[in-house]
Amino acid sequence: MITVTIPPAEKLSIALPPEIATLVRHAVEAGEYPSSSELIRDALRDWNDKRQRQQGPDELRQLWQQALNDPRPPVAADAVLDRLEHRYQAMIDGGAALRS
């Protein structure tokens, strides 16, 4: 037997402009959503997803700006790639030795 636990929902009261309330009612009446609550939950999930996706580019912009402001001398890309190649080759070689 599978038991599914659904977290309790907090009930909120919201005020919508008449045109939005009409859109919500029409969507429910058309069968797009089983209830106005489900439509609002779906809209809030979409909003939250959009917000979270936006945090990625914002964080990247911040990191880019930090890199631009970093007073240390730049490191050539070839040097970085060479170090990574050596590091991962050593990991592969070490793994091969363990498998032997």
Side-chain angles (χ1 to χ4, degrees):
M1 182 168 137
I2 298 174
T3 304
V4 177
T5 304
I6 299 173
E10 182 177 343
K11 192 169 188 170
L12 298 176
S13 176
I14 61 169
L16 299 173
E19 61 274 7
I20 300 295
T22 299
L23 288 172
V24 170
R25 277 195 294 286
H26 284 125
V28 173
E29 289 167 2
E32 294 178 53
Y33 288 90
S35 68
S36 57
S37 292
E38 189 54 41
L39 185 151
I40 299 300
R41 280 191 290 273
D42 192 40
L44 289 171
R45 280 189 292 270
D46 286 348
W47 167 76
N48 191 45
D49 290 346
K50 180 181 173 185
R51 220 175 91 212
Q52 288 180 348
R53 281 191 308 272
Q54 184 59 39
Q55 288 174 348
D58 288 345
E59 183 179 357
L60 185 57
R61 281 186 202 92
Q62 182 182 16
L63 290 171
W64 181 258
Q65 193 59 50
Q66 287 174 359
L68 290 175
N69 296 335
D70 191 333
R72 294 176 293 180
V75 178
D78 287 341
V80 172
L81 293 173
D82 286 345
R83 281 193 312 221
L84 287 172
E85 184 177 359
H86 286 101
R87 177 182 296 166
Y88 289 114
Q89 189 61 51
M91 290 170 65
I92 291 169
D93 293 345
L98 292 175
R99 289 190 295 267
S100 300

Coordinates of all heavy atoms in Angstrom, one line a residue:
M1 N 0.8 -1.2 0.0 CA 0.0 0.0 0.0 C 0.9 1.2 0.0 O 1.8 1.3 0.8 CB -0.9 0.0 1.2 CG -1.8 1.1 1.3 SD -3.1 0.8 2.6 CE -3.1 2.4 3.3
I2 N 0.6 2.2 -0.9 CA 1.4 3.4 -1.0 C 0.6 4.5 -0.2 O -0.6 4.7 -0.4 CB 1.6 3.8 -2.4 CG1 2.4 2.8 -3.2 CG2 2.3 5.2 -2.5 CD1 2.5 3.0 -4.6
T3 N 1.4 5.2 0.6 CA 0.8 6.3 1.4 C 1.4 7.6 0.9 O 2.6 7.7 0.8 CB 1.1 6.2 2.9 OG1 0.6 4.9 3.3 CG2 0.4 7.3 3.7
V4 N 0.5 8.5 0.5 CA 1.0 9.8 0.0 C 0.6 10.9 1.1 O -0.6 11.0 1.4 CB 0.4 10.2 -1.3 CG1 0.8 11.6 -1.8 CG2 0.7 9.1 -2.4
T5 N 1.6 11.6 1.5 CA 1.3 12.7 2.5 C 1.3 14.0 1.7 O 2.3 14.4 1.1 CB 2.4 12.7 3.6 OG1 2.4 11.4 4.2 CG2 2.1 13.7 4.6
I6 N 0.2 14.7 1.8 CA 0.1 16.0 1.2 C 0.2 17.1 2.3 O -0.5 17.0 3.3 CB -1.2 16.2 0.5 CG1 -1.4 15.1 -0.6 CG2 -1.4 17.6 -0.1 CD1 -2.7 15.1 -1.3
P7 N 1.2 18.0 2.1 CA 1.4 19.0 3.2 C 0.1 19.9 3.3 O -0.6 20.1 2.3 CB 2.6 19.8 2.7 CG 2.7 19.5 1.3 CD 2.1 18.2 1.0
P8 N -0.2 20.3 4.5 CA -1.4 21.2 4.7 C -1.2 22.5 3.9 O -0.1 23.0 3.7 CB -1.4 21.4 6.2 CG 0.0 21.2 6.7 CD 0.6 20.2 5.7
A9 N -2.3 23.0 3.4 CA -2.3 24.2 2.6 C -2.7 25.4 3.6 O -3.6 25.2 4.4 CB -3.3 24.1 1.5
E10 N -2.1 26.5 3.4 CA -2.4 27.7 4.1 C -3.5 28.4 3.3 O -3.3 28.7 2.1 CB -1.2 28.5 4.4 CG -1.5 29.8 5.2 CD -0.3 30.6 5.5 OE1 0.8 30.0 5.4 OE2 -0.4 31.7 5.9
K11 N -4.5 28.8 3.9 CA -5.6 29.5 3.2 C -5.3 31.0 3.2 O -5.1 31.6 4.3 CB -6.9 29.2 3.8 CG -8.1 29.7 3.0 CD -9.4 29.1 3.6 CE -10.5 29.4 2.6 NZ -11.7 28.7 3.0
L12 N -5.3 31.6 2.1 CA -5.1 33.1 1.9 C -6.3 33.7 1.2 O -6.9 33.0 0.4 CB -3.8 33.4 1.1 CG -2.5 32.9 1.7 CD1 -1.4 33.2 0.7 CD2 -2.2 33.6 3.0
S13 N -6.5 34.9 1.5 CA -7.6 35.6 0.8 C -6.9 36.7 0.0 O -6.0 37.4 0.5 CB -8.5 36.3 1.8 OG -9.5 37.1 1.1
I14 N -7.2 36.7 -1.3 CA -6.5 37.7 -2.2 C -7.6 38.5 -2.9 O -8.7 38.1 -3.1 CB -5.6 37.0 -3.2 CG1 -6.4 36.1 -4.1 CG2 -4.5 36.3 -2.6 CD1 -5.6 35.6 -5.3
A15 N -7.2 39.7 -3.3 CA -8.1 40.6 -4.0 C -7.5 40.7 -5.5 O -6.4 41.0 -5.6 CB -8.2 42.0 -3.4
L16 N -8.4 40.5 -6.5 CA -8.0 40.6 -7.9 C -8.8 41.7 -8.5 O -9.9 41.9 -8.3 CB -8.2 39.3 -8.6 CG -7.5 38.0 -8.1 CD1 -8.0 36.8 -8.8 CD2 -6.0 38.2 -8.3
P17 N -8.1 42.4 -9.5 CA -8.9 43.3 -10.3 C -10.0 42.6 -11.0 O -9.8 41.4 -11.4 CB -7.9 43.9 -11.3 CG -6.5 43.5 -10.7 CD -6.7 42.3 -9.9
P18 N -11.1 43.3 -11.3 CA -12.2 42.6 -12.0 C -11.9 41.8 -13.2 O -12.3 40.7 -13.5 CB -13.2 43.7 -12.2 CG -12.9 44.8 -11.3 CD -11.4 44.7 -11.0
E19 N -11.0 42.4 -14.1 CA -10.7 41.8 -15.3 C -9.9 40.5 -15.1 O -10.1 39.5 -15.8 CB -9.9 42.7 -16.3 CG -8.6 43.2 -15.8 CD -8.7 44.5 -14.9 OE1 -9.8 44.9 -14.6 OE2 -7.6 45.0 -14.6
I20 N -9.0 40.4 -14.1 CA -8.3 39.2 -13.8 C -9.2 38.2 -13.2 O -9.2 37.0 -13.5 CB -7.1 39.5 -12.8 CG1 -6.1 40.5 -13.5 CG2 -6.4 38.2 -12.4 CD1 -5.4 40.0 -14.7
A21 N -10.1 38.6 -12.3 CA -11.1 37.7 -11.7 C -11.9 37.1 -12.8 O -12.2 35.8 -12.7 CB -11.9 38.4 -10.7
T22 N -12.3 37.8 -13.8 CA -13.1 37.3 -14.9 C -12.3 36.3 -15.7 O -12.8 35.2 -16.1 CB -13.6 38.5 -15.8 OG1 -14.4 39.4 -15.1 CG2 -14.3 38.0 -17.0
L23 N -11.0 36.6 -15.9 CA -10.2 35.6 -16.6 C -10.1 34.3 -15.9 O -10.2 33.2 -16.4 CB -8.8 36.2 -16.8 CG -8.6 37.3 -17.9 CD1 -7.2 37.8 -17.8 CD2 -8.9 36.8 -19.2
V24 N -10.0 34.4 -14.5 CA -9.9 33.2 -13.7 C -11.2 32.4 -13.8 O -11.1 31.2 -14.0 CB -9.6 33.6 -12.2 CG1 -9.7 32.4 -11.3 CG2 -8.2 34.2 -12.1
R25 N -12.3 33.1 -13.6 CA -13.6 32.4 -13.7 C -13.8 31.7 -15.0 O -14.2 30.5 -15.1 CB -14.7 33.3 -13.4 CG -15.0 33.5 -11.9 CD -16.3 34.2 -11.7 NE -16.4 35.6 -12.1 CZ -15.8 36.6 -11.6 NH1 -15.1 36.4 -10.5 NH2 -16.0 37.8 -12.0
H26 N -13.5 32.4 -16.1 CA -13.6 31.8 -17.5 C -12.7 30.6 -17.7 O -13.2 29.6 -18.3 CB -13.4 32.9 -18.6 CG -14.5 33.8 -18.7 ND1 -14.3 35.2 -18.7 CD2 -15.8 33.7 -19.0 CE1 -15.4 35.8 -18.8 NE2 -16.4 34.9 -19.0
A27 N -11.5 30.6 -17.2 CA -10.6 29.5 -17.3 C -11.2 28.3 -16.6 O -11.1 27.2 -17.1 CB -9.2 29.9 -16.8
V28 N -11.7 28.5 -15.4 CA -12.3 27.4 -14.6 C -13.5 26.9 -15.3 O -13.7 25.7 -15.5 CB -12.6 27.8 -13.2 CG1 -13.3 26.7 -12.4 CG2 -11.3 28.2 -12.5
E29 N -14.4 27.8 -15.8 CA -15.6 27.4 -16.5 C -15.3 26.6 -17.8 O -16.1 25.7 -18.1 CB -16.5 28.6 -16.8 CG -17.1 29.2 -15.5 CD -17.7 30.6 -15.8 OE1 -17.7 31.1 -17.0 OE2 -18.2 31.2 -14.8
A30 N -14.2 27.0 -18.4 CA -13.9 26.3 -19.7 C -13.2 25.0 -19.4 O -12.9 24.2 -20.4 CB -12.9 27.2 -20.5
G31 N -12.9 24.7 -18.2 CA -12.3 23.4 -17.8 C -10.8 23.4 -17.9 O -10.2 22.3 -17.9
E32 N -10.2 24.6 -18.1 CA -8.7 24.6 -18.1 C -8.1 24.3 -16.8 O -7.0 23.8 -16.7 CB -8.3 26.0 -18.6 CG -8.7 26.4 -20.0 CD -8.2 27.8 -20.3 OE1 -7.0 28.1 -20.2 OE2 -9.1 28.6 -20.8
Y33 N -8.8 24.6 -15.7 CA -8.4 24.3 -14.3 C -9.6 23.8 -13.6 O -10.7 24.2 -13.8 CB -7.9 25.6 -13.7 CG -6.5 26.0 -14.2 CD1 -6.4 26.9 -15.3 CD2 -5.3 25.5 -13.6 CE1 -5.2 27.3 -15.8 CE2 -4.1 25.9 -14.1 CZ -4.0 26.8 -15.2 OH -2.8 27.1 -15.7
P34 N -9.4 22.9 -12.6 CA -10.5 22.4 -11.8 C -11.0 23.4 -10.8 O -12.2 23.3 -10.4 CB -9.9 21.2 -11.1 CG -8.4 21.4 -11.1 CD -8.1 22.2 -12.3
S35 N -10.2 24.4 -10.5 CA -10.7 25.4 -9.5 C -9.9 26.7 -9.7 O -8.8 26.6 -10.2 CB -10.6 24.9 -8.1 OG -9.2 24.8 -7.7
S36 N -10.4 27.8 -9.2 CA -9.6 29.0 -9.2 C -8.4 28.9 -8.3 O -7.3 29.4 -8.7 CB -10.5 30.2 -8.7 OG -11.0 30.0 -7.4
S37 N -8.4 28.1 -7.3 CA -7.3 27.9 -6.4 C -6.1 27.2 -7.2 O -5.0 27.6 -7.1 CB -7.6 27.1 -5.2 OG -8.4 27.8 -4.3
E38 N -6.5 26.2 -8.0 CA -5.5 25.5 -8.8 C -4.9 26.4 -9.8 O -3.7 26.4 -10.1 CB -6.1 24.3 -9.4 CG -5.0 23.4 -10.0 CD -3.9 23.0 -9.1 OE1 -4.1 22.7 -7.9 OE2 -2.7 23.0 -9.6
L39 N -5.7 27.3 -10.4 CA -5.1 28.2 -11.4 C -4.1 29.2 -10.7 O -3.0 29.4 -11.3 CB -6.3 29.0 -12.0 CG -5.9 30.0 -13.2 CD1 -7.0 30.1 -14.1 CD2 -5.4 31.3 -12.7
I40 N -4.5 29.7 -9.6 CA -3.6 30.6 -8.9 C -2.3 29.9 -8.4 O -1.2 30.4 -8.6 CB -4.3 31.3 -7.6 CG1 -5.6 32.1 -8.1 CG2 -3.4 32.1 -6.8 CD1 -5.3 33.2 -9.0
R41 N -2.4 28.7 -7.9 CA -1.3 27.9 -7.6 C -0.3 27.7 -8.8 O 0.9 27.8 -8.7 CB -1.6 26.5 -7.0 CG -2.1 26.6 -5.5 CD -2.2 25.2 -4.9 NE -3.3 24.5 -5.4 CZ -4.5 24.5 -4.9 NH1 -4.8 25.3 -3.9 NH2 -5.5 23.8 -5.4
D42 N -0.9 27.4 -9.9 CA -0.1 27.2 -11.1 C 0.6 28.4 -11.6 O 1.7 28.4 -11.9 CB -1.1 26.6 -12.3 CG -0.3 26.1 -13.5 OD1 0.8 25.5 -13.3 OD2 -0.7 26.4 -14.6
A43 N -0.2 29.5 -11.5 CA 0.4 30.8 -11.8 C 1.6 31.2 -10.9 O 2.6 31.7 -11.3 CB -0.6 31.9 -11.8
L44 N 1.4 30.9 -9.6 CA 2.5 31.2 -8.6 C 3.7 30.3 -8.8 O 4.8 30.7 -8.7 CB 1.9 31.1 -7.2 CG 1.0 32.2 -6.8 CD1 0.3 31.9 -5.5 CD2 1.7 33.5 -6.8
R45 N 3.4 29.0 -9.2 CA 4.6 28.1 -9.5 C 5.3 28.6 -10.7 O 6.6 28.6 -10.7 CB 4.1 26.7 -9.8 CG 3.7 25.9 -8.5 CD 3.5 24.4 -8.8 NE 2.2 24.2 -9.6 CZ 1.0 24.0 -9.0 NH1 0.9 24.0 -7.7 NH2 0.0 23.9 -9.8
D46 N 4.6 29.1 -11.8 CA 5.3 29.6 -12.9 C 6.1 30.9 -12.5 O 7.2 31.1 -13.0 CB 4.3 30.0 -14.0 CG 3.7 28.8 -14.7 OD1 4.3 27.7 -14.6 OD2 2.7 29.0 -15.5
W47 N 5.5 31.7 -11.7 CA 6.2 33.0 -11.3 C 7.5 32.6 -10.5 O 8.5 33.2 -10.7 CB 5.3 33.8 -10.4 CG 5.9 34.9 -9.7 CD1 6.4 36.1 -10.1 CD2 6.2 34.9 -8.3 NE1 7.0 36.8 -9.1 CE2 6.9 36.1 -8.0 CE3 6.0 34.0 -7.2 CZ2 7.3 36.4 -6.7 CZ3 6.4 34.3 -6.0 CH2 7.1 35.5 -5.7
N48 N 7.4 31.6 -9.6 CA 8.5 31.2 -8.8 C 9.6 30.6 -9.7 O 10.8 30.9 -9.5 CB 8.1 30.2 -7.7 CG 9.2 30.0 -6.7 OD1 9.8 30.9 -6.3 ND2 9.4 28.8 -6.3
D49 N 9.2 29.8 -10.7 CA 10.2 29.2 -11.6 C 10.9 30.3 -12.4 O 12.1 30.2 -12.5 CB 9.5 28.2 -12.6 CG 9.0 26.9 -11.9 OD1 9.4 26.6 -10.8 OD2 8.2 26.2 -12.6
K50 N 10.2 31.3 -12.8 CA 10.8 32.4 -13.6 C 11.8 33.1 -12.7 O 12.9 33.5 -13.1 CB 9.7 33.3 -14.1 CG 10.2 34.5 -14.8 CD 9.0 35.4 -15.3 CE 9.5 36.7 -15.9 NZ 8.4 37.6 -16.2
R51 N 11.4 33.3 -11.5 CA 12.2 34.1 -10.5 C 13.5 33.3 -10.3 O 14.6 33.9 -10.2 CB 11.5 34.2 -9.2 CG 11.6 35.5 -8.5 CD 10.8 35.7 -7.3 NE 11.6 35.2 -6.2 CZ 11.1 34.5 -5.1 NH1 9.8 34.3 -5.0 NH2 11.9 34.2 -4.2
Q52 N 13.4 32.0 -10.1 CA 14.6 31.2 -9.9 C 15.5 31.1 -11.1 O 16.7 31.1 -10.9 CB 14.2 29.7 -9.4 CG 13.6 29.7 -8.0 CD 13.2 28.3 -7.6 OE1 13.1 27.4 -8.4 NE2 12.9 28.2 -6.3
R53 N 14.9 31.1 -12.3 CA 15.7 31.1 -13.5 C 16.5 32.4 -13.6 O 17.6 32.4 -14.1 CB 14.9 30.8 -14.7 CG 14.5 29.4 -15.0 CD 13.9 29.2 -16.3 NE 12.8 30.0 -16.6 CZ 11.5 29.8 -16.4 NH1 11.2 28.7 -15.7 NH2 10.6 30.7 -16.7
Q54 N 15.8 33.5 -13.2 CA 16.5 34.8 -13.3 C 17.6 34.9 -12.3 O 18.6 35.7 -12.6 CB 15.4 35.9 -13.0 CG 16.0 37.3 -13.2 CD 16.5 37.6 -14.6 OE1 15.9 37.2 -15.6 NE2 17.6 38.3 -14.6
Q55 N 17.6 34.2 -11.2 CA 18.7 34.3 -10.2 C 20.0 33.8 -10.9 O 21.1 34.3 -10.5 CB 18.4 33.5 -9.0 CG 17.3 34.2 -8.1 CD 16.9 33.3 -7.0 OE1 17.2 32.1 -6.9 NE2 16.2 33.9 -6.0
G56 N 19.9 32.8 -11.7 CA 21.1 32.3 -12.4 C 21.9 33.4 -13.2 O 23.1 33.6 -12.9
P57 N 21.2 34.0 -14.1 CA 21.9 35.1 -14.9 C 22.4 36.3 -14.0 O 23.4 36.8 -14.2 CB 20.8 35.6 -15.9 CG 19.9 34.4 -16.0 CD 19.9 33.7 -14.7
D58 N 21.6 36.6 -12.9 CA 22.0 37.7 -12.0 C 23.3 37.3 -11.3 O 24.2 38.1 -11.1 CB 20.9 38.0 -11.0 CG 19.7 38.7 -11.7 OD1 19.8 39.2 -12.8 OD2 18.6 38.7 -11.0
E59 N 23.3 36.0 -10.9 CA 24.5 35.6 -10.1 C 25.7 35.6 -11.1 O 26.8 36.0 -10.7 CB 24.3 34.2 -9.6 CG 25.5 33.7 -8.8 CD 25.2 32.3 -8.2 OE1 24.1 31.7 -8.4 OE2 26.1 31.7 -7.6
L60 N 25.5 35.2 -12.3 CA 26.6 35.2 -13.3 C 27.1 36.6 -13.6 O 28.3 36.8 -13.7 CB 26.1 34.5 -14.6 CG 27.1 34.3 -15.7 CD1 28.3 33.5 -15.2 CD2 26.5 33.6 -16.9
R61 N 26.1 37.5 -13.7 CA 26.6 38.9 -13.9 C 27.4 39.4 -12.7 O 28.4 40.1 -12.9 CB 25.3 39.8 -14.0 CG 24.7 39.8 -15.4 CD 23.6 40.8 -15.5 NE 22.7 40.5 -16.5 CZ 21.6 39.7 -16.4 NH1 21.2 39.3 -15.2 NH2 20.8 39.4 -17.4
Q62 N 27.0 39.0 -11.5 CA 27.8 39.4 -10.3 C 29.2 38.8 -10.3 O 30.1 39.5 -10.1 CB 27.0 39.0 -9.1 CG 27.7 39.5 -7.8 CD 26.9 39.0 -6.6 OE1 26.0 38.1 -6.6 NE2 27.3 39.6 -5.4
L63 N 29.3 37.5 -10.7 CA 30.6 36.9 -10.7 C 31.4 37.5 -11.8 O 32.6 37.7 -11.6 CB 30.4 35.4 -11.0 CG 29.8 34.6 -9.8 CD1 29.5 33.2 -10.2 CD2 30.7 34.6 -8.6
W64 N 30.8 37.8 -13.0 CA 31.6 38.4 -14.1 C 32.1 39.8 -13.6 O 33.3 40.1 -13.9 CB 30.6 38.6 -15.3 CG 31.3 39.2 -16.4 CD1 31.3 40.5 -16.9 CD2 32.2 38.6 -17.3 NE1 32.0 40.7 -18.0 CE2 32.7 39.5 -18.3 CE3 32.7 37.3 -17.4 CZ2 33.5 39.2 -19.3 CZ3 33.6 37.0 -18.5 CH2 34.0 37.9 -19.4
Q65 N 31.3 40.6 -12.9 CA 31.8 41.9 -12.4 C 32.9 41.7 -11.4 O 33.9 42.5 -11.4 CB 30.6 42.7 -11.8 CG 30.9 44.1 -11.6 CD 31.3 44.8 -12.9 OE1 30.6 44.8 -13.9 NE2 32.4 45.5 -12.9
Q66 N 32.8 40.7 -10.5 CA 33.9 40.4 -9.6 C 35.2 40.1 -10.3 O 36.2 40.5 -9.9 CB 33.5 39.3 -8.6 CG 32.4 39.7 -7.6 CD 32.0 38.5 -6.8 OE1 32.4 37.4 -7.0 NE2 31.0 38.7 -5.9
A67 N 35.0 39.3 -11.4 CA 36.2 38.9 -12.1 C 36.9 40.1 -12.8 O 38.1 40.3 -12.8 CB 35.9 37.9 -13.2
L68 N 36.0 41.0 -13.3 CA 36.5 42.2 -13.9 C 37.2 43.1 -12.9 O 38.2 43.8 -13.3 CB 35.4 43.0 -14.6 CG 34.8 42.4 -15.9 CD1 33.6 43.2 -16.4 CD2 35.8 42.2 -17.0
N69 N 36.7 43.1 -11.7 CA 37.3 44.0 -10.7 C 38.5 43.3 -9.9 O 39.1 44.0 -9.1 CB 36.2 44.4 -9.7 CG 35.2 45.2 -10.3 OD1 35.4 45.9 -11.3 ND2 34.0 45.2 -9.7
D70 N 38.8 42.1 -10.2 CA 39.8 41.3 -9.5 C 41.2 42.0 -9.9 O 41.5 42.0 -11.1 CB 39.8 39.9 -9.9 CG 40.7 39.0 -9.1 OD1 41.7 39.5 -8.5 OD2 40.3 37.8 -8.9
P71 N 42.0 42.4 -8.9 CA 43.3 43.0 -9.2 C 44.4 42.0 -9.6 O 45.4 42.5 -10.1 CB 43.6 43.7 -7.9 CG 42.9 42.9 -6.8 CD 41.7 42.4 -7.5
R72 N 44.2 40.8 -9.4 CA 45.2 39.8 -9.8 C 45.4 39.8 -11.3 O 44.5 40.0 -12.0 CB 44.8 38.4 -9.3 CG 44.8 38.3 -7.7 CD 44.3 37.0 -7.3 NE 42.9 36.8 -7.6 CZ 42.2 35.7 -7.3 NH1 42.7 34.7 -6.7 NH2 40.9 35.7 -7.7
P73 N 46.6 39.4 -11.7 CA 46.8 39.3 -13.2 C 46.0 38.2 -13.8 O 45.8 37.2 -13.1 CB 48.3 39.1 -13.3 CG 48.7 38.5 -12.0 CD 47.8 39.1 -10.9
P74 N 45.6 38.4 -15.0 CA 44.8 37.3 -15.7 C 45.6 36.1 -15.9 O 46.9 36.1 -16.0 CB 44.4 38.0 -17.0 CG 45.4 39.1 -17.2 CD 45.8 39.5 -15.9
V75 N 45.0 34.9 -16.1 CA 45.6 33.7 -16.3 C 45.2 33.3 -17.8 O 44.0 33.4 -18.1 CB 45.2 32.6 -15.4 CG1 45.8 31.2 -15.7 CG2 45.5 33.0 -13.9
A76 N 46.2 32.9 -18.6 CA 45.9 32.6 -20.0 C 45.0 31.3 -20.0 O 45.2 30.4 -19.2 CB 47.2 32.3 -20.7
A77 N 44.0 31.3 -20.9 CA 43.1 30.2 -21.1 C 43.9 28.9 -21.3 O 43.5 27.8 -20.8 CB 42.1 30.5 -22.1
D78 N 44.9 29.0 -22.2 CA 45.7 27.7 -22.5 C 46.3 27.2 -21.2 O 46.4 25.9 -21.0 CB 46.8 28.1 -23.5 CG 46.2 28.3 -24.9 OD1 45.1 27.8 -25.1 OD2 47.0 28.9 -25.7
A79 N 46.8 28.0 -20.3 CA 47.4 27.5 -19.1 C 46.4 26.8 -18.2 O 46.6 25.8 -17.6 CB 48.0 28.7 -18.3
V80 N 45.2 27.4 -18.1 CA 44.1 26.8 -17.3 C 43.7 25.4 -17.9 O 43.6 24.4 -17.2 CB 42.9 27.7 -17.3 CG1 41.7 27.0 -16.6 CG2 43.2 29.0 -16.5
L81 N 43.5 25.4 -19.3 CA 43.2 24.2 -19.9 C 44.2 23.1 -19.8 O 43.9 21.9 -19.6 CB 42.9 24.4 -21.4 CG 41.6 25.3 -21.7 CD1 41.5 25.6 -23.1 CD2 40.4 24.6 -21.2
D82 N 45.5 23.5 -19.8 CA 46.6 22.5 -19.6 C 46.5 21.9 -18.2 O 46.7 20.7 -18.0 CB 48.0 23.2 -19.9 CG 48.3 23.4 -21.3 OD1 47.6 22.8 -22.2 OD2 49.2 24.2 -21.6
R83 N 46.3 22.8 -17.2 CA 46.2 22.3 -15.8 C 45.1 21.3 -15.7 O 45.2 20.3 -15.0 CB 46.1 23.5 -14.9 CG 47.4 24.2 -14.6 CD 47.2 25.1 -13.4 NE 46.0 25.9 -13.5 CZ 46.0 27.2 -13.1 NH1 47.1 27.8 -12.7 NH2 44.9 27.9 -13.3
L84 N 43.9 21.7 -16.3 CA 42.7 20.8 -16.2 C 43.0 19.5 -16.9 O 42.7 18.4 -16.3 CB 41.5 21.5 -16.8 CG 40.9 22.6 -16.0 CD1 39.8 23.3 -16.8 CD2 40.4 22.1 -14.6
E85 N 43.6 19.5 -18.0 CA 43.9 18.3 -18.8 C 44.9 17.4 -18.0 O 44.6 16.2 -17.8 CB 44.6 18.6 -20.1 CG 44.8 17.4 -21.0 CD 45.4 17.8 -22.3 OE1 45.6 19.0 -22.6 OE2 45.7 16.9 -23.1
H86 N 45.9 18.0 -17.3 CA 46.8 17.2 -16.5 C 46.1 16.6 -15.3 O 46.3 15.4 -14.9 CB 48.0 18.0 -16.1 CG 49.0 18.2 -17.2 ND1 49.0 19.4 -17.9 CD2 49.9 17.4 -17.8 CE1 50.0 19.3 -18.8 NE2 50.5 18.1 -18.8
R87 N 45.3 17.4 -14.7 CA 44.5 16.9 -13.5 C 43.6 15.8 -13.8 O 43.6 14.7 -13.1 CB 43.7 18.1 -12.9 CG 42.9 17.6 -11.7 CD 42.0 18.7 -11.1 NE 42.9 19.8 -10.6 CZ 42.5 21.0 -10.3 NH1 41.2 21.3 -10.4 NH2 43.3 21.9 -9.8
Y88 N 42.9 15.9 -14.9 CA 41.9 14.8 -15.2 C 42.6 13.6 -15.8 O 42.2 12.5 -15.6 CB 40.8 15.3 -16.2 CG 39.9 16.2 -15.5 CD1 39.8 17.6 -15.8 CD2 39.1 15.8 -14.4 CE1 39.0 18.4 -15.1 CE2 38.3 16.6 -13.7 CZ 38.2 18.0 -14.0 OH 37.4 18.8 -13.3
Q89 N 43.8 13.8 -16.5 CA 44.5 12.7 -16.9 C 45.1 11.9 -15.8 O 45.1 10.6 -15.7 CB 45.7 13.1 -17.9 CG 46.4 11.9 -18.6 CD 45.4 11.1 -19.4 OE1 44.7 11.7 -20.3 NE2 45.4 9.8 -19.2
A90 N 45.5 12.6 -14.7 CA 46.0 11.9 -13.5 C 44.9 11.2 -12.8 O 45.2 10.1 -12.3 CB 46.6 13.0 -12.6
M91 N 43.7 11.7 -12.9 CA 42.6 11.0 -12.2 C 42.3 9.7 -13.0 O 42.1 8.6 -12.4 CB 41.4 11.9 -12.2 CG 41.5 13.0 -11.2 SD 40.1 14.3 -11.4 CE 38.7 13.3 -11.0
I92 N 42.4 9.8 -14.4 CA 42.1 8.6 -15.2 C 43.2 7.6 -15.0 O 42.9 6.4 -14.8 CB 42.1 9.0 -16.7 CG1 40.8 9.8 -17.0 CG2 42.1 7.8 -17.6 CD1 40.8 10.5 -18.3
D93 N 44.5 8.0 -15.0 CA 45.6 7.1 -14.8 C 45.5 6.5 -13.4 O 45.8 5.3 -13.2 CB 46.9 7.9 -14.9 CG 47.2 8.3 -16.3 OD1 46.5 7.8 -17.3 OD2 48.0 9.2 -16.5
G94 N 45.1 7.2 -12.4 CA 45.0 6.7 -11.0 C 43.9 5.7 -11.0 O 44.0 4.6 -10.3
G95 N 42.8 5.9 -11.7 CA 41.7 5.0 -11.7 C 42.0 3.7 -12.4 O 41.7 2.6 -12.0
A96 N 42.9 3.8 -13.4 CA 43.3 2.6 -14.2 C 44.2 1.8 -13.3 O 44.1 0.5 -13.3 CB 44.0 3.0 -15.5
A97 N 45.0 2.4 -12.5 CA 45.9 1.7 -11.6 C 45.1 0.9 -10.5 O 45.5 -0.2 -10.2 CB 46.9 2.6 -10.9
L98 N 44.0 1.5 -10.1 CA 43.2 0.8 -9.1 C 42.4 -0.4 -9.7 O 42.2 -1.4 -9.0 CB 42.1 1.8 -8.5 CG 42.7 2.9 -7.7 CD1 41.6 3.9 -7.3 CD2 43.3 2.4 -6.4
R99 N 42.1 -0.3 -11.0 CA 41.4 -1.4 -11.7 C 42.3 -2.5 -12.0 O 41.9 -3.6 -12.3 CB 40.7 -0.9 -12.9 CG 39.5 0.0 -12.6 CD 38.7 0.3 -13.9 NE 39.5 1.1 -14.9 CZ 39.5 2.4 -15.0 NH1 38.7 3.1 -14.1 NH2 40.2 3.0 -15.9
S100 N 43.6 -2.3 -12.1 CA 44.6 -3.3 -12.5 C 44.8 -4.4 -11.4 O 44.6 -4.2 -10.3 CB 46.0 -2.7 -12.8 OG 45.8 -1.8 -13.9

